[in-house]
Amino acid sequence: MVSILNNESATVALATLRSINRNLAQVQQEISTGKSVANAKDNAAIYAVSTVIQSDADSFEAISSSLNLGLSTVGVARAAAENVTSLLQDIKNLVVAAQEENIDRSKIQTDIAQLRDQITSIVNAAQFSGLNLLRGGGSVDILSSLDRAADGTVTASNITIARNNLEVAQQTFGAGAGNVTTTVTGLAVGTQIDDGETATITYTATEISEGESFRITLGGTDYDYVARNGDTLNDVVRELKERIDAAGIANVTVTASNVSDPTSTDSVLTINYAPGDASNLTFAQANNSGGTAGGDLGTLLTFDVTTSAGAEQALTDIEALIQTGIDAAAAFGSAQKRIEIQEEFVTALVDNLKSGISALTDADIEEASARLQSLQVQQQLGIQALAIANQTPQTILSLFR
């Protein structure tokens, strides 16, 4: 039966044409974007997975830049330490020559002083982007990885580089410019720290002067820092924290607060002790006066080969100094090698992550091209079928002629 109210053939042809057009639009989108999953509508699960992987890839590219910066910094320190070691060997040769009685030791002493000053110049210049690993103590963390757990939790991993203080000149702790006020609460200075007790040290200052010194004494050990040119209160508190952390005192936790704002005039260092029982750890001092601190090569200042006794003492001391330089160069060399290995791994990891994203989301262009040709033919046939179906009701008119 032919109906003038319902053209079933045209309805079927129209539905088929709509389906073809929808598939054709999808293929054209894949070809234009190069992706089979361009947004969450295309495939929500694949989109979610690929977006997380892309986020990790972007993060690791940033980590690669951090590693390259750290690699350059450590490379500068290693090269400087090797040069310092070479100069120390030159000083040793002069000291050996000074052992002779029939030689002008005053001239040798002058040469030693020049080489010593050159060591200072090298150490002071051994910085990259403002970071010098041959001055001061503590350590520097270089971001090396982001570790994603099965539950999606992300934690940062670091490569820790210990500073090697190859400075010659020793600095004397004094009251400095008196810019800093130190306030201790929670635990009195000079008392024993018992389980769970906390010492809160608040440093207040509007400015820090170069040479101003700071000391915290725990368990009979002094942790010192001498402010350098350009230091802020935040730098002081961070450096003190690094020194205590590096000591690895059991059951001691050190927290630095109010150090994120470079304009802050109050920074807080909190020391908590929680061994689970009574202790004999004492909190003896927290101020900015007293004591001395110097570089690992400070002994060079005592060299005086103008006398036989001085020459003999210098010969004894120089071996330890050379070993200090060798140890520093070796430590930086090992760290540099590790950073290089990590940087190569991160680069390979980023490449593999991007390959994985591509496998998940990229369109198969060859297949899409073939599908496009097929769908274009289907579209033309669908239009023809719809046109034929639309003409069917016209045959009814012939019945009334």
Side-chain angles (χ1 to χ4, degrees):
M1 182 185 73
V2 177
S3 172
I4 62 172
L5 299 178
N6 182 32
N7 189 340
E8 185 176 351
S9 297
T11 301
V12 172
L14 183 59
T16 301
L17 185 59
R18 284 173 178 168
S19 176
I20 292 170
N21 288 338
R22 185 165 53 250
N23 292 335
L24 187 61
Q26 181 179 354
V27 171
Q28 288 174 332
Q29 178 181 326
E30 289 181 8
I31 293 173
S32 63
T33 63
K35 290 182 174 294
S36 60
V37 181
N39 50 57
K41 182 185 70 173
D42 296 332
N43 189 317
I46 295 299
Y47 174 80
V49 172
S50 63
T51 301
V52 171
I53 297 175
Q54 183 63 57
S55 174
D56 287 347
D58 293 341
S59 297
F60 276 108
E61 285 183 336
I63 289 172
S64 181
S65 299
S66 172
L67 287 168
N68 283 321
L69 180 61
L71 188 64
S72 299
T73 303
V74 176
V76 167
R78 176 193 55 78
E82 290 172 353
N83 273 273
V84 167
T85 302
S86 178
L87 291 172
L88 288 171
Q89 182 60 51
D90 292 342
I91 291 176
K92 178 183 177 181
N93 295 339
L94 292 172
V95 170
V96 170
Q99 305 303 308
E100 297 291 340
E101 293 292 340
N102 58 340
I103 196 169
D104 189 345
R105 287 176 173 157
S106 62
K107 290 185 173 58
I108 293 179
Q109 181 66 31
T110 300
D111 288 343
I112 290 175
Q114 291 295 324
L115 292 176
R116 183 183 63 209
D117 291 344
Q118 181 58 30
I119 289 175
T120 297
S121 297
I122 290 174
V123 170
N124 289 340
Q127 58 83 29
F128 187 87
S129 188
L131 179 59
N132 193 324
L133 298 178
L134 299 186
R135 299 181 63 182
S139 59
V140 175
D141 289 333
I142 298 174
L143 181 62
S144 61
S145 179
L146 290 179
D147 306 327
R148 184 180 294 278
D151 61 358
T153 304
V154 177
T155 56
S157 295
N158 298 300
I159 295 176
T160 301
I161 310 298
R163 282 188 170 98
N164 284 270
N165 187 356
L166 297 186
E167 292 179 286
V168 175
Q170 294 193 1
Q171 295 170 298
T172 301
F173 278 73
N179 297 325
V180 181
T181 300
T182 305
T183 306
V184 180
T185 57
L187 186 68
V189 172
T191 61
Q192 176 177 303
I193 305 178
D194 293 323
D195 180 25
E197 287 192 311
T198 298
T200 301
I201 310 163
T202 302
Y203 297 93
T204 304
T206 55
E207 63 177 333
I208 299 294
S209 297
E210 181 179 8
E212 198 153 10
S213 55
F214 301 83
R215 164 171 291 176
I216 293 176
T217 303
L218 285 174
T221 301
D222 296 331
Y223 301 93
D224 299 318
Y225 180 67
V226 177
R228 306 187 187 282
N229 184 33
D231 273 355
T232 66
L233 197 60
N234 299 344
D235 297 320
V236 170
V237 172
R238 275 196 294 264
E239 291 287 346
L240 288 171
K241 180 182 184 303
E242 281 187 9
R243 281 155 173 70
I244 300 174
D245 286 342
I249 308 173
N251 306 307
V252 169
T253 303
V254 183
T255 306
S257 305
N258 296 351
V259 295
S260 58
D261 181 7
T263 63
S264 173
T265 57
D266 289 291
S267 290
V268 180
L269 198 65
T270 303
I271 302 172
N272 179 261
Y273 187 69
D277 53 23
S279 72
N280 57 3
L281 184 69
T282 56
F283 172 58
Q285 189 175 19
N287 57 21
N288 59 324
S289 64
T292 59
D296 293 339
L297 303 185
T299 308
L300 282 174
L301 294 173
T302 67
F303 278 24
D304 182 5
V305 298
T306 57
T307 65
S308 296
E312 291 177 4
Q313 184 61 48
L315 185 60
T316 300
D317 294 338
I318 190 63
E319 289 296 336
L321 297 180
I322 292 174
Q323 190 60 51
T324 297
I326 293 172
D327 290 345
F332 290 133
S334 297
Q336 189 177 13
K337 183 64 176 179
R338 181 185 174 188
I339 296 173
E340 284 182 350
I341 293 172
Q342 182 66 13
E343 199 279 331
E344 291 172 0
F345 166 72
V346 168
T347 300
L349 179 60
V350 170
D351 291 342
N352 281 280
L353 288 175
K354 290 183 175 180
S355 296
I357 295 171
S358 177
L360 288 171
T361 64
D362 287 2
D364 186 335
I365 299 300
E366 293 89 347
E367 178 187 356
S369 177
R371 287 176 60 200
L372 178 64
Q373 295 291 331
S374 173
L375 288 168
Q376 285 175 337
V377 173
Q378 292 179 46
Q379 184 186 48
Q380 294 173 13
L381 291 174
I383 292 172
Q384 290 287 340
L386 181 59
I388 294 171
N390 285 335
Q391 291 175 359
T392 300
Q394 296 293 327
T395 60
I396 297 177
L397 293 176
S398 64
L399 297 176
F400 297 94
R401 292 173 184 170

